[in-house]
Amino acid sequence: MKTPLSWITEYVDVPDHVTTDELTARLTLTGLKLEGIASPGAEITGPLVVGRVLTMEPEPQKNGKTINWCTVDVADANGSGEPQGIVCGAHNFAPGDLVVVVLPGGVLPGGFEISARKTYGHVSSGMICSAAELGLGDDHDGIIVLPADAGEPGQDVRPLLGLDEEIIEFEINPDRAYALSLRGIAREVLVSVEGASGFRDPALRETPPANDAGHPVVVEDEAGCPVFVARKITGFDPSAPTPEVIAQRLTAAGMRPISLAVDVTNYVMLETGRPIHGYDADLLQGPIVVRRAREGETLTTLDGTARTLSAEDLVVTDDSGIIGLGGVMGGQTTEMSATTTSVLVEAAHWDATSMFRTGRRHRITSEAGKRNERGVDATICEAAADRVVELLTTYGGGQVDPGVTVVGTPPSMPTITVAGDRAARVSGLDISEERAVAALRAVGCEVSGTGTLEVVPPPWRPDLTDPQDTTEEVIRLVGYDTIPSVLPQAPGGRGLTRTQLLRRRIGRTMAGAGFVEVVTFPFVGDADLDALGLPGDDPRRTTLRLSNPLSSEAPGMTTTLLPALLRTAGRNVGLGATSLAIFEAAPVTVPRASGPAPILPVDRRPTDAELDALDKALPDQPLHLGLVAAGEHEQAGWWGPGRTVTWADAVDAVRTVAGALGLELATRPATTAPWHPGRCAALLLGDVVVGHAGELHPRVCTAFGLPPRSVAAEVDLEVLLQHAVHLRPAPSFSGYPVAKEDVALVVDETVAAADVEAALREGAGELLESIRLFDVYTGEQVGPGKKSLAFALRFRAPDRTLKEGESAAARDAAVRVAGERTGAVQR
């Protein structure tokens, strides 16, 4: 909801010392969240003044266009007092008119600088401005002609056009439709801003009583349309212009001025919150009837769309048929036009639920529908219609028909019973019953009783229906910001669970390894699984289907973290992140074969058998760890070249996590999607495969927009956490010198380096401190089908310096075991 500050203060007095920032900050604290503060003229700098056109000489051009060479009086604004010579292409003005002139040195929206320049054979010193050029509307075809009494030449035009106005935009919650009006916002200012006073209700006015002389109206569905008010104007001038102040305020509110009749109905809707509809009265045939549509009836609405109606739709009809969707959008057959001289004004109250369903069913979004579907004040229909009639006759002439049609009565508001101390108990604040009653009365409620309060909400607050609502009203006016932040005291001997501590350890380990944690949606579709290159029989394709998914493209719960991680990585690469490393620890969903979950009764406690059947139908949701890396693993710089990420980095990242949990993972060559064959490793805890890591297949990189040779890994954290060492003893360090031994072993290409490493580790014995693979060689020197693996072995004793030969003996024992286990031969 956008509104000029001056329009708000037209209905409520705000102390002079309260700034706009202070006012909006207080309104935000009480529920009207500030979206932004803007000024239409914020981008306009330099001289922008009133000018009086003295002469206007049309000059046809060779290109068929006719320009006007004008002299304009801008008084002393140009520094000389002489008339300003300006070339103008518009023709909707004449000598003697007051116009808007920007002089050389001025800058218009979009950074458009104005200077004196030669054009069409003249030196044009400035510009006569249109609404579009000032950012006030879409009218490019004609310049702004000011009223004759708007001001004097040379006067700053900003205050006249509202260019110096502050426009406040609020975010309005769906249940607070009353705030979609100046009436509602002014009420909020009154109860929220200290010192605000003098509320002037734009809907509080004397209205003529209903009589039998008005246009006949029959309401067949009183629940759908409790109140219908109709007033008529004849002799209306359809060419009458919209007053500048109304046009400016509509523009500031984000609505485009169209014609006086339409603009007035929109203006009153913004003013009071009551949607209004106008009919061309001369096109109506017979009485108006409000009823439910018959299945299959059709209507062409004002937007030119032919719609097939449902039996749930509320419609407005006359003898010619349906002429509008009640409360949502009118029909074309009775639309007001440039020839309309008789206007029938409708102000009706509609059932909010019906409005919501009709709007969604026909995919219609309108300002009127947005208010009607949220619920508006049913008691101001007569006042709103009278206000429209007043403005139309004031600015468009004509006569008010003496007939006043009022059908139905507004529905009564419910009585809410609530304890007087409930707000204090809920908030923890010292809110007395007297203060609670005062807050409720401030928002318009009628309150009676003590101890137990009987609260009747005002008619403009249909959102207040139960004790929770009234309690919220009290607390928000007292101030959410006054509620103290008190941390609950943890019971002694408790704290984080084992799993929580281990998960935090995992997060710190991944962050230390250079990975950034992300959180993604757990939804997947067939297209994602196809992009991974999963075969048709892959168990990861068996997903739990959602009956009401957020997106039809991702209707299932994901069985793997990789699709969402790869999409996230691809999005970041597309935005310019040439190198990245991300991870996520989250559950995946693995359906069971037991079928859908049973629907349990709600009128009794389920039996143990029913609960057991429900548990068996629930899917497994094991915790997984997924990671993706692309680009440089080590950045280039003055220190030297960088290093591109490889599949070994993905393997190492997972093994680092396992190490932080006190576990050691073995690796085996594997071939599985979405990894590149030959560059994928299965990760094993003992004999159990817990995940895979490696380089992504080129087709997968292309599908997700990742650079070639990107890497990924995914492991079952559930298994790792089950076997993790929770409390590990502090490591001990030897202060004695290390003995270094390197060995190069030749093995068959099919032998895994991890198997060789495990054999070396076992054979080396207790003196082995560390072992690291530092080179892999294939070539003529080792022969076809062979590879050479070079390991760095480090030996150290905890209590002494190793004697000569001890480390060599341990090395030889390691090589011997490796030869027995893997057929390795030392080079």
Side-chain angles (χ1 to χ4, degrees):
M1 176 71 183
K2 295 181 179 179
T3 178
L5 178 60
S6 64
W7 202 1
I8 298 174
T9 55
E10 189 173 304
Y11 305 116
V12 63
D13 297 326
V14 179
D16 294 336
H17 65 82
V18 176
T19 66
T20 304
D21 288 339
E22 291 171 341
L23 181 145
T24 54
R26 187 58 200 166
L27 287 173
T28 296
L29 287 174
T30 55
L32 290 192
K33 179 184 175 184
L34 174 67
E35 282 288 294
I37 302 175
S39 176
E43 295 185 62
I44 301 175
T45 61
L48 186 70
V49 300
V50 176
R52 186 182 301 279
V53 180
L54 301 178
T55 63
M56 177 178 174
E57 301 175 8
E59 295 183 358
Q61 304 298 310
K62 294 179 180 180
N63 59 7
K65 181 179 180 180
T66 299
I67 61 97
N68 294 303
W69 170 240
C70 308
T71 56
V72 185
D73 177 16
V74 294
D76 295 331
N78 58 4
S80 66
E82 296 295 323
Q84 202 82 353
I86 300 176
V87 172
C88 183
H91 304 282
N92 64 319
F93 63 104
D97 285 343
L98 293 180
V99 295
V100 179
V101 179
V102 57
L103 299 175
V107 179
L108 296 181
F112 183 47
E113 299 181 4
I114 304 299
S115 60
R117 61 189 182 92
K118 188 171 183 180
T119 179
Y120 294 108
H122 301 279
V123 175
S124 182
S125 300
M127 176 188 290
I128 302 175
C129 300
S130 70
E133 290 159 344
L134 297 178
L136 295 177
D138 300 326
D139 187 1
H140 292 267
D141 299 327
I143 55 92
I144 297 174
V145 178
L146 299 171
D149 58 352
E152 297 297 325
Q155 176 183 343
D156 190 344
V157 81
R158 289 174 177 83
L160 301 177
L161 298 180
L163 291 172
D164 57 351
E165 180 74 272
E166 289 183 301
I167 309 298
I168 306 174
E169 182 176 3
F170 296 104
E171 178 185 318
I172 308 299
N173 288 338
D175 61 339
R176 302 180 69 185
Y178 71 96
L180 290 170
S181 69
L182 273 299
R183 182 189 189 218
I185 293 174
R187 285 186 184 277
E188 287 298 296
V189 172
L190 181 69
V191 300
S192 302
V193 179
E194 185 175 357
S197 61
F199 174 66
R200 296 170 287 279
D201 189 347
L204 184 62
R205 58 192 293 121
E206 292 291 332
T207 58
N211 55 49
D212 296 331
H215 192 94
V217 174
V218 178
V219 177
E220 296 182 357
D221 192 322
E222 296 179 359
C225 180
V227 182
F228 195 108
V229 174
R231 300 283 300 277
K232 186 177 179 180
I233 299 170
T234 58
F236 175 73
D237 180 6
S239 64
T242 300
E244 194 65 32
V245 64
I246 293 179
Q248 288 176 13
R249 287 179 170 179
L250 289 176
T251 301
M255 304 181 76
R256 181 171 60 89
I258 298 174
S259 65
L260 177 61
V262 174
D263 294 345
V264 163
T265 58
N266 287 334
Y267 184 81
V268 173
M269 178 183 67
L270 292 174
E271 189 178 56
T272 65
R274 165 53 59 190
I276 307 291
H277 185 67
Y279 301 92
D280 187 326
D282 292 334
L283 299 178
L284 290 172
Q285 301 178 27
I288 286 176
V289 178
V290 179
R291 60 172 173 82
R292 297 283 175 175
R294 300 180 183 90
E295 198 70 40
E297 285 187 301
T298 59
L299 168 69
T300 301
T301 46
L302 290 175
D303 59 2
T305 302
R307 305 182 185 277
T308 300
L309 306 182
S310 163
E312 296 184 14
D313 293 329
L314 279 166
V315 294
V316 181
T317 70
D318 65 2
D319 289 347
S320 66
I322 300 176
I323 59 175
L325 270 175
V328 178
M329 186 174 286
Q332 280 190 338
T333 57
T334 55
E335 179 183 7
M336 293 186 295
S337 66
T339 61
T340 297
T341 58
S342 296
V343 178
L344 185 73
V345 177
E346 167 209 300
H349 183 72
W350 306 92
D351 174 62
T353 302
S354 292
M355 297 301 96
F356 176 82
R357 290 176 177 171
T358 295
R360 295 303 179 273
R361 186 180 300 113
H362 297 286
R363 298 181 181 178
I364 298 176
T365 301
S366 66
E367 290 294 328
K370 183 166 65 175
R371 288 162 174 81
N372 282 326
E373 71 183 22
R374 286 163 169 79
V376 292
D377 190 346
T379 66
I380 63 169
C381 294
E382 295 166 78
D386 192 68
R387 174 68 167 152
V388 171
V389 167
E390 175 191 40
L391 291 175
L392 288 180
T393 53
T394 299
Y395 298 110
Q399 300 79 40
V400 181
D401 193 279
V404 178
T405 301
V406 179
V407 177
T409 56
S412 60
M413 300 302 293
T415 299
I416 303 170
T417 302
V418 59
D421 64 345
R422 193 174 192 281
R425 289 188 286 108
V426 168
S427 67
L429 296 173
D430 183 17
I431 303 175
S432 64
E433 181 177 309
E434 292 73 17
R435 191 174 185 185
V437 170
L440 290 172
R441 286 175 175 164
V443 299
C445 295
E446 297 178 7
V447 185
S448 60
T450 56
T452 300
L453 306 179
E454 300 291 328
V455 182
V456 179
W460 59 86
R461 295 298 303 274
D463 57 304
L464 303 182
T465 59
D466 56 44
Q468 288 79 8
D469 296 328
T470 59
T471 301
E472 181 184 357
E473 287 299 299
V474 174
I475 296 173
R476 78 179 182 91
L477 292 188
V478 171
Y480 290 120
D481 56 320
T482 64
I483 299 176
S485 298
V486 180
L487 290 175
Q489 294 184 353
R494 296 189 181 180
L496 297 178
T497 65
R498 173 183 180 274
T499 300
Q500 289 172 329
L501 289 170
L502 291 175
R503 288 193 63 176
R504 292 191 177 191
R505 188 187 300 174
I506 292 168
R508 289 193 296 267
T509 301
M510 292 299 295
F515 286 79
V516 176
E517 185 171 12
V518 298
V519 179
T520 63
F521 284 118
F523 308 121
V524 72
D526 290 337
D528 296 318
L529 302 177
D530 291 340
L532 288 182
L534 301 186
D537 59 350
D538 194 298
R540 287 171 290 180
R541 282 190 174 273
T542 304
T543 61
L544 181 70
R545 311 290 288 190
L546 299 172
S547 60
N548 187 24
L550 290 178
S551 168
S552 60
E553 296 179 355
M557 297 294 292
T558 189
T559 56
T560 168
L561 299 180
L562 290 181
L565 279 172
L566 293 173
R567 281 198 304 270
T568 301
R571 189 178 307 114
N572 281 271
V573 169
L575 293 174
T578 56
S579 299
L580 59 85
I582 59 175
F583 81 97
E584 181 177 19
V588 297
T589 303
V590 182
R592 295 183 182 177
S594 56
I599 304 300
L600 300 185
V602 296
D603 58 342
R604 59 173 174 81
R605 184 188 183 282
T607 65
D608 292 341
E610 288 172 332
L611 291 174
D612 184 60
L614 180 62
D615 288 336
K616 290 180 178 177
L618 294 177
D620 289 326
Q621 290 190 291
L623 187 67
H624 277 206
L625 171 68
L627 62 89
V628 174
E632 289 186 332
H633 182 70
E634 297 174 1
Q635 291 187 345
W638 59 264
W639 51 85
R643 181 175 71 80
T644 303
V645 67
T646 68
W647 66 271
D649 294 314
V651 175
D652 185 62
V654 178
R655 296 185 73 172
T656 301
V657 169
L661 299 177
L663 304 173
E664 185 173 347
L665 296 181
T667 59
R668 293 284 187 277
T671 301
T672 185
W675 288 278
H676 193 298
R679 297 173 189 166
C680 173
L683 303 168
L684 295 88
L685 182 62
D687 296 330
V688 178
V689 176
V690 294
H692 294 85
E695 181 182 310
L696 291 168
H697 196 285
R699 285 195 294 268
V700 176
C701 293
T702 301
F704 287 96
L706 293 174
R709 313 207 75 167
S710 297
V711 301
E714 184 171 11
V715 293
D716 189 339
L717 268 187
E718 205 77 36
V719 176
L720 299 184
L721 292 177
Q722 289 173 3
H723 294 83
V725 178
H726 180 206
L727 300 176
R728 294 179 295 168
S732 59
F733 299 93
S734 173
Y736 294 94
V738 66
K740 301 179 180 180
E741 299 284 349
D742 292 344
V743 296
L745 303 177
V746 178
V747 296
D748 291 338
E749 281 186 335
T750 57
V751 175
D755 292 340
V756 179
E757 179 184 327
L760 289 171
R761 188 183 299 276
E762 181 179 340
E766 297 180 353
L767 293 179
L768 181 67
E769 181 179 82
S770 67
I771 182 170
R772 178 175 62 88
L773 175 68
F774 66 87
D775 184 54
V776 178
Y777 171 76
T778 57
E780 295 180 359
Q781 296 184 22
V782 296
K786 301 288 187 178
K787 62 183 176 182
S788 172
L789 305 176
F791 293 90
L793 284 71
R794 299 297 179 260
F795 298 94
R796 194 190 316 252
D799 55 352
R800 69 187 191 281
T801 300
L802 292 177
K803 296 178 181 180
E804 184 179 355
E806 283 187 280
S807 62
R811 178 202 62 201
D812 293 342
V815 171
R816 184 172 59 255
V817 173
E820 294 171 354
R821 297 280 180 83
T822 65
V825 177
Q826 188 170 6
R827 287 182 64 186

